[in-house]
């Protein structure tokens, strides 16, 4: 029975394909396992020159070499070339084979030179994932975790600068790189090195890709060494937001469709359309992400799910995942939505979760982030050898490195200068140099570049992006520790001590001084937001006070009563939350101070020995005493600077948003 | 530029398809969210008549109704029918469209009647997942979690019976159901109701599918009410193993390829080949699963990963996942491998993990299990309305229900009778009735049935399986609490009290009595295994004693020293582990007894009030006293039976394996 034989044949092929897929995934799991064991080994021996991302890339590279040159698997000839004349390349085909009908779907376009290579390509092709896997499966957990684990206090304190670097800086970088690359490409065309079309929009697109920084390596080291908290906040905040900006920017550039024959000519209306698209996608994703966070906050506030941690954690996970799907289904960008969802969840929903669910959700996303990130970096290493259409061009590569360097400089230095005109706590030049240095490229740049490698231009951009990522992660990532000491950036900084030290200066004005100082410190816009958030948003979405029945006008009475949690009457002040102690309350300064001192017991690890004993005594005896004293004490610890061989940065003044 | 337009067109289609996929997943997330909120509501109000699985099915059903009858989405006409004469239906096609080449892959066969319906089918088709999703993504976490959370003490105590029910019982059930259905099918053919071929192998296959029980609902209720522990162990163990047996059995039946023209004739050699395949796949999967568990145990034993919980948890997760992929890549059954991996991980690796990682891994897999299970049940409800090729036939359905009932009876009663000839603690008839009742069908039966619905026979089997699952989950699941009281099965049983009660009888023989009794209780094979495990496997794979240097022969010296953990010298006895206190040690009986009493503080919740006060006093004062006394005490608690309106089962004697 021929039909049955065909059934068996196609079942066999399906099974063969399934076994191949399993084997591919197994390869990655092996790489990840090796990475984990090596990370442990490095941590064990305090080896800081190769961070986990760089390590994962190395293993990916090695696997790529083996796959490319070591393994040759003869593949079955099971392709058939039909030549049928068609007008169009449809998405689905119905083929009539001896009376049976089969449905075929389009997989990809094959360039003519590859037709005869289809068989040999199979092995390597199979280890290559559809680029959308990155945007649909791997990047969302990474970006969500970045938003969910944001250190909000320092983030909001530096919000203005972060927004400047992330938006304006990324656009500057994109344009600068685009211009330089365009010049390079023109040069290449002149000397005959260009083998295909390369338009200005392609150069701009490259600029957009490669402006997405990913200093995960640097930040990990900053975290371990407890480096300057503002620097950490600036770098982290910038990288998290400029990923979002880079995605939407590249979508907008790709969508640039000018009217007229020359599809890459300059067309003002098309440019404005792209700009509008950028705004629309960004705001839409922001709105959706925040909305889901708000809904989750309300659900966790008004139900007693906290009694059932499994249900609570599952709900949290599902709603965060739904943000991504909702944004994608509506045509926005899921990754951007997921970022703002993470920030909103951390700001509101987190307070409503039971203590165990807080831990569970953090651990869950921490695990997902870890696996996804190392997977991407392994894949990057692998791709160097498994990607079929690399286009390496020395001129382009050299120009790209130069452009990236100059683009970063054009981003950091001018903006820092402008920001310093307004900031109280200036961004010192050594911090600026560090920010230059820490402009590593990583997962986002790679994912954007690999998304579409159909044309010659895109292939060259992808190959070059790979090299830039390798170089920055290995060289700059590895050199972070040296750079920190060379630039004399302080380490071993206690974040809360920092906070208190700044306040100490302001306390000398007297008890009203902090309020006045706070108001003076903060930009008007931020103060507005903070008041709104403190008095309305937090009481609506969480159990914190002040109760809405007191803050809302009389006619809102019934709604206010409905929305006000019983706990809000007890929590007259905002719930104490490490990361959101933005501004001191008018209440007991020493109590707050006492709280923050106590919470930093674990942060004191890196302070020098001769301080520690004093601190231990202080803390051991000090807890009750601080509460009782009720005066604004200055504990000895904050006047002593760690006696490193690192010099202090410029004198820190009070913070200005 | 026509090429560009095509690019844009296919990009648009790809995006459209992506948005549709996102919307589909979003639907399921919505269903899961509703399920979670409803579960919370039910738990809040102690509503036990509709468990989460049944609830998820209801929501799936409602969504299915809406999708089928409520929504009509006009779809674009983007299919093209080519008629080209071909010899064969190849897996891949290269189509030449005006000089550009496109690769098409085979999607599925379309039956002639559906050709014109392809457009209308699209909406519903899109909500239908590839059945392999169940076996590759959804079932593994469920089965792994079942293995990882096995209550090993009671499982091993009843191992013989469990194996009997799972292997012999499933085969009996399969054959009985197959025969009855074959009779029914012949009848249907006679009266002209049969619209397609339906062979005996199909009937046997149906028997294999539908023999996979899934009493998750019943077990959840058992857990809450603390019902008889042996019943729990028997049901749980049987269901977990018979899932594995059912999968491999159905693969073997499908692989039955007799020589000769009639592909469904009886052929002894083909039957033996199938049998050999069964053995081979089962043992191979078992071996692979255990091997990965062993490797993970060794890795966690010899590294200090426990200092880094994120790395430890990530490694554990990756290695467990790799089991699945490895088994699939080697042509075995991933789900079966993952089951034995879970059991092995729970038995060995768990002891090597840091306390925090133990919690993390349990919580991680608990969450995955929860999400996957409810997803499948929602999907089941949905499929009733979205599946395109249902074949409902009243005769077949009625016969199927009858067959399932009789098959279960033929499984339980004869085997129980035979087992009771050898068991010390007989399986009472009310327990047998409960086991009959608790034969719910669920995720595994569904997944097996939906795996291949190409022929008329398979479609009818699938439709009937759906109905059987619905009925058993809703009716039997909902009626569990009533059934428990009607059959007078005891609830509120303290598992450790039970254990001690049994031992108490054996203690009357004197201090050597327990050892002798234990030996007498246990089957020889099990004793052999236990000794091997205790003296060799556990010391090799975990940090428990006795040290290998003492148990291995002299010539193994160097290896023994290498493999023996420093902790083993301290832990002369096996690590105390709630779930694996299979047999009392020769050591301090009262200490063990004291330990087991103390660990059950949380298990005493459901005991009646007049006991609780006595217990509280006893426990509060008793801890030190028990240790000091050093005699084999009989605490008052074990002689008092809870004064329920439930009668006791037949007098429990000592356990026999």
């Amino acid at each position: 029975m021929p039909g049955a034989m065909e059934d068996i044949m196609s079942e066999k092929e399906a099974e063969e394909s399934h076994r191949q897929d399993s084997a591919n995934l197994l390869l990655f799991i092996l790489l990840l396992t090796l990475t984990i064991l090596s990370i442990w080994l490095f941590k064990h021996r305090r080896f800081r020159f190769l961070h986990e991302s760089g390590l994962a890339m190395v293993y990916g590279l090695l696997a790529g070499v083996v796959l490319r040159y070591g393994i040759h698997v003869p593949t079955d000839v099971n392709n058939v070339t039909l030549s049928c004349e068609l007008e169009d390349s449809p998405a689905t085909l119905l083929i009539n084979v001896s009376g049976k009908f089969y449905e075929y779907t389009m997989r990809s376009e094959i360039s003519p030179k590859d037709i005869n290579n289809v068989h040999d390509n199979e092995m390597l092709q199979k280890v290559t994932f559809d680029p959308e896997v990155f945007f649909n499966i791997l990047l969302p957990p990474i970006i969500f975790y970045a938003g969910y684990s944001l250190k909000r206090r320092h983030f909001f304190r530096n919000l203005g600068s972060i927004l400047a670097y992330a938006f304006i800086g990324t656009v500057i970088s994109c344009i600068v790189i685009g211009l330089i690359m365009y010049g390079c490409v023109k040069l290449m065309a002149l000397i005959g090195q260009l083998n295909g079309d390369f338009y200005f929009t392609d150069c701009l697109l490259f600029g957009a890709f490669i402006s997405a920084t990913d200093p995960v390596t640097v930040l990990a080291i900053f975290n371990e060494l407890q480096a300057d908290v503002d620097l950490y906040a600036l770098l982290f905040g910038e990288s998290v937001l400029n990923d979002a900006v880079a995605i939407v920017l590249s979508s907008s550039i790709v969508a640039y469709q000018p009217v007229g024959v020359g599809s890459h000519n300059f067309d003002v209306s098309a440019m404005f359309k792209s700009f509008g698209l950028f705004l629309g996608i960004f705001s839409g994703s922001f709105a959706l992400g925040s909305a889901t966070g708000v809904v989750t906050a309300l659900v966790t506030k008004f139900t007693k799910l906290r009694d059932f941690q499994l249900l609570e954690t599952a709900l949290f996970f599902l709603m965060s995942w739904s943000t991504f799907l909702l944004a994608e289904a509506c045509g926005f960008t899921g990754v951007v939505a997921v970022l703002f969802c993470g920030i909103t969840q951390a700001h509101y929903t987190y307070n409503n979760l039971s203590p165990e669910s807080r831990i569970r959700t953090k651990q869950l996303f921490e695990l997902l982030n870890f696996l996804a990130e190392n997977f991407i970096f392994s894949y990057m290493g692998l791709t160097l050898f498994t990607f079929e259409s690399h286009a390496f061009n020395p001129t382009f590569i050299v120009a790209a490195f130069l452009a990236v360097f100059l683009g970063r400089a054009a981003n950091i230095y001018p903006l820092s200068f402008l920001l310093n005109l307004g900031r109280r706590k200036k961004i010192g030049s050594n911090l600026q140099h560090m920010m230059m240095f820490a402009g590593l490229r990583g997962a986002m740049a790679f994912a954007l570049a690999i998304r579409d490698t159909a044309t010659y231009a895109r292939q060259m951009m992808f190959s070059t992006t790979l090299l830039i990522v390798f170089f920055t992660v290995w060289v700059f990532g590895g050199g972070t520790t040296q750079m920190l000491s060379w630039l004399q950036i302080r380490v071993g900084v206690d974040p809360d001590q920092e906070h208190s030290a700044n306040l100490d200066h302001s306390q000398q004005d007297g008890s009203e001084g902090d309020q006045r100082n706070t108001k003076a410190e903060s930009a008007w816009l931020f103060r507005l937001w903070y008041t709104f958030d403190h008095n309305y948003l937090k009481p609506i979405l969480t159990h914190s006070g002040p109760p809405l029945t007191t803050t809302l006008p009389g006619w809102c009475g019934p709604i206010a009563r409905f929305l006000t949690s019983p706990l809000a009457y007890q929590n007259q002040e905002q719930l104490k939350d490490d990361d959101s102690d933005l501004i001191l309350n008018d209440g007991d300064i020493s109590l707050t101070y006492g709280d923050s001192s106590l919470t930093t017991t674990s942060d004191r690890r890196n302070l020098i020995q001769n301080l520690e004993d004093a601190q231990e005594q202080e803390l051991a005896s000090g807890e009750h005493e601080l509460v009782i004293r009720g005066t604004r004490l200055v504990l000895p610890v904050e006047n002593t600077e760690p006696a490193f061989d690192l010099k202090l940065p410029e004198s820190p003044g009070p913070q200005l948003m």
Side-chain angles (χ1 to χ4, degrees), chain A residues 597-611:
Chain A
S597 296
L598 290 168
T599 52
T600 61
T601 312
S602 58
D603 295 337
R604 298 196 188 282
R605 271 167 302 163
N606 292 354
L607 291 178
I608 55 175
Q609 276 299 325
N610 57 1
L611 268 185

Side-chain angles (χ1 to χ4, degrees), chain A residues 235-309:
Chain A
L235 271 174
F236 186 83
E238 184 210 358
S239 89
V240 143
L241 281 177
N242 82 6
D243 283 356
V245 173
I247 297 183
V248 188
L249 198 55
S250 45
S251 300
S252 313
I253 293 173
V254 163
Y256 177 79
Q257 295 299 339
V259 176
V261 179
S263 76
H264 298 275
N265 292 344
F266 186 69
D267 182 335
V268 181
S269 67
M271 195 183 85
F272 276 112
K273 194 163 159 235
S274 283
F275 181 68
L277 204 70
F278 176 90
L279 277 186
I281 293 181
F282 206 93
S283 351
S285 309
F286 170 81
L288 274 177
S290 314
T292 322
V294 161
V295 167
T296 319
L298 288 172
V299 168
T300 48
K301 176 179 175 180
F302 287 111
T303 63
K304 286 222 172 52
L305 268 177
R306 44 193 321 177
D307 298 334
F308 304 101
Q309 283 89 33

Side-chain angles (χ1 to χ4, degrees), chain A residues 116-136:
Chain A
N116 295 326
N117 286 347
V118 172
H119 307 159
D120 287 339
N121 289 347
E122 258 190 57
M123 179 68 201
L124 297 177
Q125 234 179 31
K126 288 189 196 299
V127 193
T128 310
F129 290 102
D130 175 6
E132 291 304 311
V133 159
F134 294 103
F135 287 93
N136 294 339

Side-chain angles (χ1 to χ4, degrees), chain A residues 164-183:
Chain A
Y165 287 125
F167 284 85
I168 306 173
T170 307
V171 172
I172 291 176
S173 167
C174 171
I175 293 174
V176 167
I177 293 175
L179 288 170
I180 295 177
M181 295 320 294
Y182 191 57

